[in-house]
Amino acid sequence: MNMTRLKVTFSMLMKEFYRNKAVMFFVLLFPILLMVLFGFIFSDQDEVQYILPIQNMDGGSHSWNFTQTLNDTGLFEIRLVDTDLDPYDYLLQQKTNTILVIPHGYQAEMDQIIIQRFIMGQPNNDTANLTLIIDPASTAAMVKTQMLDSLVGAINKGMAGVPDVIGMDIETTVSDQFKAIDFFAPGIIAMSVMTTALFGTVGMNTELRQKGILRKLATTPLTRAEWLVTNVLYQFVMGGLSTISIIIVGMILFGLQPQINLFLPLFIILNVFAFSGIGMLITRFVKDAESAQAAANAVMFPMMFLSGTFFPLEQMPDFLQTIAGFLPLYYVNEGLRSAMINPDMGVMAFNALVIGVVGIVMFILGILLTSWKDE
Amino acid sequence: MPKPAIQVRDLVKKYGDLSAVNCISFDVQRGQVFSFLGPNGAGKTTTVEMIETIRTPTSGHIDILGMELKKNRSSVLKRIGVLPQDFNSFDRLTVRETVKFFSGLFNGIRDVDELIKLVNLEDERDKLYMNLSGGLKQRVGIAVALVNDPEIVFLDEPTTGLDPRARHDVWDVIKGLKQRGKTVFLTTHYMEEAEVLSDYLAIISKGSIIAEGAPLELIDKHCNTIKMTIRGGPAEIENVVRERGLTLEDAANGDVTVQIEDNAQILDLLNLLKSRNLSYHSLDIRKATLEEVFLTLTGESLTGELAEEEPSTGELAEEEPSTDEQAGGMPLTGAPLTDNQATVEEPLTPGGDVQ
Ligand SMILES: Nc1ncnc2c1ncn2[C@@H]1O[C@H](COP(=O)(O)OP(=O)(O)OP(=O)(O)O)[C@@H](O)[C@H]1O
Ligand SMILES: [Mg+2]
């Protein structure tokens, strides 16, 4: 690894980038467009306070306490639904997208769990289940799902240490200013950075190969590894620019209030690492430009739709959720969302580890499997 | 005698069933211009790119500057300069930035502006590469090949697609390199270029070297005849030629080409024409060229395209024993020529071999 050669090559690529309006568009404007588009879609929804119809079939004190807790967060405008109604009919008739049903027997079940765990000292995994019915086509419903998920998670966490459920303070876990855009911005960032790194790497390398420039570079002292490293550095800059443009537009237009911590750049870097590595491997095995683009698309689409960028995974069939577990972008989404909304060291570290391992493996494969020469 | 700059032994490159290079061996002496002459698809690029370390030989042995190539890739790369066939560079760098970038990769030895001057690109210094014409791009490539002041310079078809002036500029650069003691490995399918520039050349066809030697040596050895073309005369001239028992090469459009074995035959024929009052427009007498050597050896045309219309100048013409016109520069493949026509090349499809 020769620093002078890295520097010379990197500054050359930056100069080219600066003069290339098409790439500039792809890196800066495209993510902004995406952000604006999503921003308007979501600001259209019943924004800051989400309407949450609750049908309490149980009626016990626990269930009312739970309802009260949700109400106290200020995140939801609670509407109580008549217990005689069919919840599915209610969804249809009221043209709403979500209804939370507290089933009959919730109180009894919860009491039993509490007695077993805390009085009889028998640890178990039982839960007293709530039913959330949502309209799968509604994006607002997804946001509500996500919010309720966090809230219930917080309550459960509290229960492990403190036997008294009702007195839970949940204010700290989800910020009051939590908006739909806060939930979607990390997804858009993860996706834009992935697309930039993947298509940037594939596009640049197939073009340079077709023009014979790689062949020329191969006759200079620049090594293959140095070239790969410069490519990744270049893609870091691109990913960084995409991220910054998304965050700025989100803040100005939609009042995005991201948590800023070191995990944000870390996930961007790991995301770039993994996907420019995958890009390298694609150009290594798929030689002509068009097929390489197609291969990159084949990588991108499942990532986009199956890793929780647009649709919460909970809504998807089990086998798709299993597949999501194998998609690197899933871990970027989860980690970045945690970093930007609700920093949780355990969640962030786990996801960073997974995507980090993927990135390093891809990069090492890239160096080992590709060479300047023909094969 | 010093060790040759390049030693190639039993070099083979197979692509599937095709032997692109079929067990060739040759030496390139230091300080010489060595030309590889052959038609499209002969295996020229495949051979040079194996020497340049960017293709892997199927088998065989290459020594370069006294080092075994396989084991000394990076030290070899520092000491050679390469102009690949169909050179291309980054679109959005200026000429100066391009030369500077490659110079930076080598820890540049030669002054960037001096190199730009050497290839006559001073006026284009700040133009983006993408906005240059093909010939100018090629010249950027030559400058780039020289950034590390290499001991051996590989030029794969450096003048293909250039206009006659630009071609002569490139020839001057090559002559300059030779004067500075550099070894030049030139690949071309212009026989004129090979004749004018090279100290030694190898003719390659279908992956094998079919002849090698100094240009004049090759001509003397394989095709030692003189050709005389009588232009713009009446048809009877053909009969006179037959009457004299001379070999008629070609007769078309009032031009008659005759093979001459002995200089005395020229005078004899001309006298006979005079005595019969057969007048003609002009005479053209020349020695055989590499093109004919190639034809003799393979029965195939070298270029398969319009040959150079340009009269060759320089060393060779002066050495021609019996011509009153220039040697070597006449059309060889028959098509009529117009003045100042540039040779247009089909774009080549290179192997796409990198990575
Ligand atoms: N990567 C490759 N894969 C398969 N065949 C190849 C490859 N590269 C070259 N060849 C074949 O090898 C032969 C020699 O090609 P090469 O490019 O060396 O010819 P050349 O003498 O340089 O021709 P030109 O004057 O057109 O440049 C050709 O038949 C070509 O089709
Ligand atoms: Mg070639």
Side-chain angles (χ1 to χ4, degrees):
Chain A
M1 222 37 75
N2 173 307
M3 282 306 141
T4 320
R5 289 199 294 264
L6 283 186
K7 217 180 85 193
V8 167
T9 312
F10 179 73
S11 65
M12 182 276 294
L13 290 178
M14 289 312 297
K15 223 176 263 168
E16 274 248 298
F17 163 69
Y18 176 72
R19 291 174 186 160
N20 191 335
K21 300 296 168 287
V23 175
M24 198 77 113
F25 171 82
F26 199 61
V27 169
L28 289 176
L29 285 179
F30 179 69
I32 292 178
L33 284 181
L34 213 61
M35 184 68 183
V36 169
L37 200 73
F38 278 90
F40 281 122
I41 292 173
F42 298 130
S43 59
D44 229 22
Q45 312 282 331
D46 38 346
E47 1 67 25
V48 192
Q49 265 216 336
Y50 285 96
I51 295 166
L52 182 66
I54 295 183
Q55 189 180 39
N56 191 342
M57 306 296 284
D58 182 79
S61 61
H62 287 333
S63 62
W64 288 123
N65 278 326
F66 178 74
T67 310
Q68 189 61 44
T69 310
L70 289 187
N71 192 40
D72 289 347
T73 63
L75 292 169
F76 298 106
E77 182 190 330
I78 308 282
R79 294 196 181 151
L80 290 177
V81 178
D82 202 324
T83 49
D84 296 338
L85 295 174
D86 178 75
Y88 291 94
D89 287 345
Y90 177 86
L91 270 189
L92 278 178
Q93 279 156 18
Q94 298 296 310
K95 293 205 166 48
T96 181
N97 49 41
T98 322
I99 178 167
L100 180 68
V101 182
I102 304 177
H104 182 71
Y106 173 79
Q107 169 105 15
E109 203 163 331
M110 183 163 283
D111 281 343
Q112 197 187 341
I113 293 168
I114 291 173
I115 290 168
Q116 278 187 347
R117 277 192 208 167
F118 300 107
I119 300 176
M120 299 170 64
Q122 298 172 343
N124 58 49
N125 292 326
D126 295 346
T127 49
N129 287 335
L130 303 163
T131 311
L132 183 68
I133 303 168
I134 58 166
D135 170 6
S138 157
T139 42
M142 295 173 212
V143 180
K144 291 183 214 178
T145 311
Q146 193 72 21
M147 291 163 85
L148 279 171
D149 214 39
S150 313
L151 287 167
V152 170
I155 293 172
N156 278 331
K157 228 189 223 167
M159 281 192 73
V162 192
D164 184 17
V165 194
I166 301 110
M168 283 296 319
D169 179 18
I170 50 150
E171 231 98 66
T172 49
T173 38
V174 179
S175 99
D176 320 59
Q177 290 100 352
F178 180 82
K179 287 191 198 142
I181 201 74
D182 294 305
F183 173 81
F184 280 96
I188 293 174
I189 290 174
M191 199 190 78
S192 302
V193 172
M194 168 190 78
T195 328
T196 311
L198 185 64
F199 283 88
T201 307
V202 170
M204 175 149 81
N205 283 282
T206 47
E207 191 196 329
L208 294 183
R209 172 162 52 214
Q210 239 167 15
K211 287 180 156 183
I213 298 177
L214 289 186
R215 209 159 38 126
K216 172 67 202 184
L217 287 177
T219 66
T220 71
L222 184 72
T223 64
R224 184 74 201 162
E226 284 162 0
W227 175 247
L228 295 192
V229 170
T230 342
N231 265 247
V232 171
L233 285 177
Y234 172 79
Q235 297 301 344
F236 282 164
V237 176
M238 301 300 112
L241 289 175
S242 287
T243 307
I244 291 168
S245 64
I246 291 175
I247 290 181
I248 289 178
V249 170
M251 287 167 73
I252 293 173
L253 289 184
F254 307 107
L256 175 73
Q257 292 194 325
Q259 306 269 331
I260 302 290
N261 52 50
L262 276 181
F263 274 91
L264 172 61
L266 179 69
F267 278 110
I268 304 301
I269 287 175
L270 296 178
N271 194 359
V272 168
F273 232 105
F275 285 97
S276 42
I278 292 174
M280 296 284 181
L281 291 176
I282 289 178
T283 33
R284 158 69 177 73
F285 290 107
V286 188
K287 296 278 158 149
D288 81 292
E290 257 170 51
S291 321
Q293 286 288 326
N297 273 315
V299 171
M300 183 187 75
F301 279 109
M303 300 280 176
M304 244 164 92
F305 293 110
L306 297 181
S307 56
T309 305
F310 297 117
F311 314 108
L313 287 173
E314 292 78 1
Q315 272 174 237
M316 297 200 272
D318 280 351
F319 80 98
L320 285 184
Q321 291 192 33
T322 314
I323 292 174
F326 290 97
L327 301 178
L329 192 66
Y330 167 78
Y331 298 94
V332 182
N333 273 330
E334 294 291 301
L336 207 54
R337 205 158 273 157
S338 172
M340 288 177 67
I341 300 177
N342 181 20
D344 178 317
M345 190 48 85
V347 175
M348 292 190 297
F350 168 72
N351 288 297
L353 187 72
V354 174
I355 189 71
V357 168
V358 172
I360 287 167
V361 168
M362 290 302 158
F363 188 72
I364 290 176
L365 283 180
I367 288 186
L368 291 183
L369 290 182
T370 66
S371 88
W372 285 128
K373 290 198 186 190
D374 59 329
E375 38 281 340
Chain B
M1 191 160 141
K3 259 190 105 108
I6 304 169
Q7 260 186 323
V8 172
R9 292 290 173 269
D10 305 323
L11 191 63
V12 175
K13 178 70 181 181
K14 285 193 175 17
Y15 288 109
D17 288 340
L18 173 84
S19 289
V21 172
N22 196 4
C23 200
I24 62 177
S25 303
F26 59 89
D27 287 352
V28 177
Q29 301 304 334
R30 279 180 208 244
Q32 291 203 337
V33 177
F34 177 92
S35 295
F36 231 36
L37 187 64
N40 291 132
K44 303 184 294 294
T45 300
T46 307
T47 308
V48 272
E49 292 197 346
M50 285 191 280
I51 304 172
E52 291 160 359
T53 79
I54 52 182
R55 296 195 201 197
T56 321
T58 307
S59 65
H61 200 88
I62 301 169
D63 270 357
I64 189 161
L65 296 165
M67 295 179 279
E68 191 184 341
L69 185 64
K70 259 185 252 166
K71 295 179 187 152
N72 297 285
R73 182 166 188 270
S74 62
S75 11
V76 167
L77 284 179
K78 286 190 187 112
R79 294 168 66 182
I80 65 172
V82 172
L83 172 76
Q85 185 164 9
D86 300 325
F87 171 80
N88 233 315
S89 185
F90 300 93
D91 277 341
R92 289 172 184 79
L93 295 188
T94 65
V95 170
R96 191 165 195 287
E97 286 164 350
T98 306
V99 180
K100 203 162 173 235
F101 163 64
F102 282 100
S103 174
L105 291 183
F106 282 97
N107 249 327
I109 299 165
R110 290 194 66 171
D111 182 62
V112 171
D113 294 302
E114 188 194 309
L115 282 171
I116 291 175
K117 193 165 168 230
L118 183 75
V119 294
N120 282 332
L121 282 175
E122 289 139 302
D123 294 340
E124 281 76 21
R125 188 186 304 249
D126 297 316
K127 275 196 193 155
L128 291 187
Y129 184 80
M130 65 195 282
N131 296 334
L132 299 179
S133 72
L136 298 190
K137 285 179 177 172
Q138 190 80 338
R139 284 195 252 167
V140 175
I142 293 173
V144 162
L146 302 178
V147 289
N148 54 330
D149 198 21
E151 287 159 66
I152 307 177
V153 187
F154 293 89
L155 303 170
D156 196 350
E157 301 196 13
T159 62
T160 298
L162 299 194
D163 67 30
R165 236 211 79 188
R167 178 167 301 158
H168 279 277
D169 286 349
V170 171
W171 289 0
D172 287 342
V173 172
I174 296 173
K175 286 174 193 162
L177 286 171
K178 194 189 152 178
Q179 259 163 28
R180 297 183 45 182
K182 308 294 179 191
T183 308
V184 179
F185 193 127
L186 178 71
T187 292
T188 183
H189 43 62
Y190 298 129
M191 51 85 204
E192 186 201 359
E193 188 163 286
E195 272 189 20
V196 170
L197 295 173
S198 29
D199 298 299
Y200 197 85
L201 62 89
I203 297 179
I204 179 168
S205 166
K206 294 177 184 148
S208 301
I209 291 179
I210 52 174
E212 57 180 303
L216 291 178
E217 243 173 65
L218 278 180
I219 294 169
D220 283 345
K221 186 166 161 202
H222 295 283
C223 221
N224 193 18
T225 54
I226 293 168
K227 290 194 179 162
M228 178 162 81
T229 304
I230 305 160
R231 294 183 190 278
E236 288 110 283
I237 291 180
E238 280 181 51
N239 301 331
V240 178
V241 168
R242 290 211 185 86
E243 200 179 296
R244 269 289 180 252
L246 295 172
T247 317
L248 187 69
E249 274 255 321
D250 190 30
N253 306 324
D255 292 354
V256 176
T257 305
V258 188
Q259 251 187 42
I260 306 284
E261 263 97 47
D262 178 354
N263 287 355
Q265 291 173 334
I266 300 176
L267 216 58
D268 177 51
L269 183 62
L270 294 183
N271 282 335
L272 192 59
L273 293 179
K274 202 173 174 188
S275 69
R276 302 221 180 147
N277 268 334
L278 294 171
S279 66
Y280 46 84
H281 180 261
S282 64
L283 264 188
D284 164 19
I285 303 168
R286 64 198 161 79
K287 214 168 150 75
T289 63
L290 288 172
E291 175 78 18
E292 276 124 351
V293 172
F294 190 83
L295 265 167
T296 315
L297 289 170
T298 66
E300 266 178 62
S301 149
L302 182 58
T303 54
E305 62 178 45
L306 295 185
E308 303 303 279
E309 89 288 355
E310 243 194 297
S312 83
T313 49
E315 307 90 285
L316 206 65
E318 274 114 52
E319 287 165 21
E320 290 296 339
S322 58
T323 43
D324 49 7
E325 289 197 28
Q326 288 111 336
M330 296 317 297
L332 298 162
T333 38
L337 289 158
T338 50
D339 272 350
N340 295 326
Q341 98 196 62
T343 313
V344 184
E345 265 286 283
E346 292 252 338
L348 291 150
T349 35
D353 245 12
V354 161
Q355 270 209 346

